[in-house]
Amino acid sequence: MLLTNANLDEFLEFTGLLRRKCPKISYLCTLLGHKLLKTMRLRLFSIYALNRTYPLLLLLAMSVTVGGCFKDEPLNAECDILEASVTTTSMTETFFHESDTLVRVGSDASIITFTVRRTADLSHMAPRFRITDGATIEPASGSVHDFSQGPVAYTVTSEDRQWSRRYEVAFRPVTVTVNDTVRYDFEHYELDDNYKRFYVWYEEEPDGRQPIWASGNGGFFIANQSKGAEDYPTTPSDGGVDGGKCLRLMTLDTGPLGRSTGRPIAAGNMFLGKFNAELALRDALHSTEMGVPFTQLPQKVTGYYRYKPGTEYRNKAQQVMANRTDSADIYAVLYRNHDAQGQPTVLYGDNVLTSPLIVRKARIDLVKPTDEWTFFELPFSVLAPVDEELLRNRGYNLALVFAASIHGDVFEGAIGSTLLIDKVTIICSHEE
């Protein structure tokens, strides 16, 4: 039976339960879900088999592992922090925005970070937590700790006392950027913390290592867990501009699972922001949370690229479009990260180029195929005035995006299209 949009949400909700209850089921452990559906058992897998290839595989995997994961007892087995918050009488001296006092915690997160001003007093902070029903947390929610010396570890134990998760809570003082040029060379990367299967990138900044880069590798992992790290859409590569490392983005086939859910390709991408793997199969465009706080006014983006399009352009239905040639994409936007009501806002794949919150935009006209490193320079166009005080106080996000297939967001492109990126700079106006 083909997995359709009508039943995908229920399937993902149940597999989210499996990820929390039984980490041994690695095939499903990255999918989402918070609710414990205690009455559902193996029969779901005969209902929601992915297609004719998968029912036997799924049933076999579950017959081996599920028996040891579910227990016939009424107590909740979940042990997660859902939200973390801080209340302080000196909010403006500690945080940039009131919304910085609340962190919504992703299901795969193990580190919870509050962003604070460089001068904030962290010696007597008392974070509070919303946790799953019946669970307990140690140290206690609301207890006072000194975070000036580094993170504090918390352990959440499930109501049935059979499961626990360890979290680290940190307060990160942020230094406002005053350099007029920000450089990215993509030399800092490692395997992901959770599975050690694909690459993630970070930047070394004055206030420490910052994981400001994201890619769709986490979504590709869901359907291709047997792949090695070098076989993912976004990887490091040798042969950079100066002989060092560069960024390689490649459009790849997602395999039977991707095709069965209408997502036949994965275009290699890299962007400033976060990737939410829980939404990768259900709502791909909202899995990309574009942008990170930026405190300078960008004037232009420069860098170097090499590009080779794949040989056969296909639409989402996997029909060959004989007269189409793939192209890559490079763009950046600066946008307000709070709406008119003061609520925090992030842009996604479906509005990152069209939102009325955008105040500056830069985009390449055409990524021409070339085997040589080619310089690009993209000036920012002015779409709206910038509030300088708000800019200094992290009220704007910068999204910088690279993609191997320009229409990869709607799952169109040519398998094998490859974009190499290196030595990117954001040139800003300089004001102390």
Side-chain angles (χ1 to χ4, degrees):
M1 177 179 178
L2 181 66
L3 182 64
T4 66
N5 289 335
N7 58 37
L8 182 59
D9 284 354
E10 293 179 57
F11 177 78
L12 292 177
E13 184 175 37
F14 180 66
T15 54
L17 164 63
L18 299 180
R19 182 189 56 75
R20 296 184 187 280
K21 286 285 285 183
C22 188
K24 292 182 290 185
I25 308 174
S26 63
Y27 184 79
L28 299 171
C29 68
T30 56
L31 299 179
L32 78 161
H34 288 291
K35 296 181 180 178
L36 184 62
L37 308 179
K38 295 180 184 294
T39 61
M40 292 183 164
R41 293 296 189 266
L42 284 172
R43 65 180 182 271
L44 276 174
F45 286 88
S46 63
I47 296 172
Y48 297 126
L50 299 182
N51 57 33
R52 294 178 183 178
T53 305
Y54 287 92
L56 182 59
L57 173 62
L58 288 172
L59 287 170
L60 178 61
M62 297 312 299
S63 67
V64 173
T65 56
V66 170
C69 299
F70 289 97
K71 302 185 184 299
D72 294 326
E73 38 97 66
L75 299 179
N76 196 343
E78 295 180 294
C79 48
D80 305 294
I81 295 178
L82 306 178
E83 289 183 350
S85 61
V86 176
T87 301
T88 176
T89 57
S90 56
M91 199 281 291
T92 57
E93 288 78 19
T94 304
F95 297 96
F96 290 92
H97 306 281
E98 184 175 355
S99 59
D100 294 337
T101 64
L102 174 67
V103 177
R104 292 182 173 86
V105 183
S107 61
D108 289 332
S110 59
I111 299 175
I112 301 169
T113 304
F114 291 92
T115 298
V116 297
R117 295 181 182 274
R118 182 178 58 83
T119 55
D121 180 4
L122 305 178
S123 61
H124 294 82
M125 304 301 288
R128 294 185 175 276
F129 305 96
R130 184 167 70 87
I131 59 180
T132 45
D133 292 344
T136 57
I137 188 169
E138 181 66 31
S141 176
S143 57
V144 177
H145 301 277
D146 181 3
F147 286 86
S148 65
Q149 302 303 311
V152 173
Y154 290 79
T155 299
V156 181
T157 303
S158 62
E159 184 182 31
D160 66 6
R161 313 302 295 176
Q162 300 300 308
W163 308 91
S164 65
R165 290 187 67 181
R166 184 180 185 275
Y167 292 85
E168 287 190 353
V169 178
F171 288 76
R172 181 170 71 90
V174 171
T175 303
V176 174
T177 303
V178 296
N179 292 332
D180 57 358
T181 301
V182 181
R183 293 179 170 84
Y184 302 122
D185 59 13
F186 309 105
E187 297 280 348
H188 305 296
Y189 57 88
E190 61 189 2
L191 292 176
D192 69 290
D193 285 339
N194 291 327
Y195 307 106
K196 306 297 183 184
R197 300 308 296 271
F198 54 85
Y199 290 108
V200 295
W201 279 257
Y202 59 91
E203 293 294 326
E204 293 287 1
E205 297 183 0
D207 44 356
R209 175 186 292 195
Q210 304 305 327
I212 61 175
W213 291 105
S215 77
N217 278 350
F220 190 78
F221 168 74
I222 294 173
N224 295 273
Q225 293 193 16
S226 64
K227 297 285 188 181
E230 303 298 332
D231 298 322
Y232 274 72
T234 303
T235 66
S237 180
D238 295 325
V241 171
D242 59 3
K245 295 291 186 179
C246 63
L247 184 65
R248 191 206 71 174
L249 312 175
M250 180 179 288
T251 299
L252 299 178
D253 187 328
T254 55
L257 177 55
R259 290 193 294 271
S260 71
T261 57
R263 296 156 177 83
I265 67 167
N269 62 8
M270 179 74 95
F271 57 94
L272 290 174
K274 296 179 181 179
F275 181 79
N276 185 345
E278 295 179 351
L279 296 178
L281 287 182
R282 186 174 62 173
D283 188 0
L285 289 177
H286 283 91
S287 66
T288 52
E289 301 178 4
M290 304 288 197
V292 297
F294 201 72
T295 57
Q296 289 292 98
L297 188 61
Q299 301 296 316
K300 58 185 175 181
V301 182
T302 69
Y304 292 85
Y305 78 86
R306 292 165 55 187
Y307 185 63
K308 182 178 180 179
T311 57
E312 205 171 60
Y313 189 97
R314 293 177 179 266
N315 63 16
K316 187 176 181 180
Q318 287 295 276
Q319 298 168 323
V320 176
M321 312 294 288
N323 298 321
R324 295 282 299 272
T325 300
D326 208 358
S327 180
D329 205 4
I330 303 171
Y331 62 87
V333 299
L334 184 75
Y335 68 91
R336 293 182 69 128
N337 56 29
H338 287 71
D339 61 20
Q341 288 72 45
Q343 297 300 309
T345 301
V346 65
L347 299 189
Y348 301 97
D350 59 352
N351 67 348
V352 68
L353 290 169
T354 59
S355 170
L357 294 172
I358 298 171
V359 296
R360 297 289 188 273
K361 181 192 294 185
R363 191 177 192 183
I364 198 166
D365 291 328
L366 177 66
V367 179
K368 297 179 180 179
T370 175
D371 293 329
E372 304 295 330
W373 283 110
T374 301
F375 180 74
F376 66 86
E377 183 176 84
L378 312 178
F380 280 86
S381 58
V382 177
L383 303 185
V386 170
D387 183 321
E388 293 184 5
E389 179 66 20
L390 192 61
L391 183 67
R392 285 192 291 269
N393 285 281
R394 296 166 58 86
Y396 291 86
N397 280 5
L398 179 71
L400 175 59
V401 182
F402 308 97
S405 293
I406 192 170
H407 297 301
D409 58 335
V410 292
F411 307 102
E412 292 189 1
I415 292 172
S417 292
T418 304
L419 175 66
L420 302 181
I421 295 290
D422 202 6
K423 302 300 179 188
V424 173
T425 62
I426 308 294
I427 298 174
C428 309
S429 60
H430 181 72
E431 294 183 6
E432 296 287 352

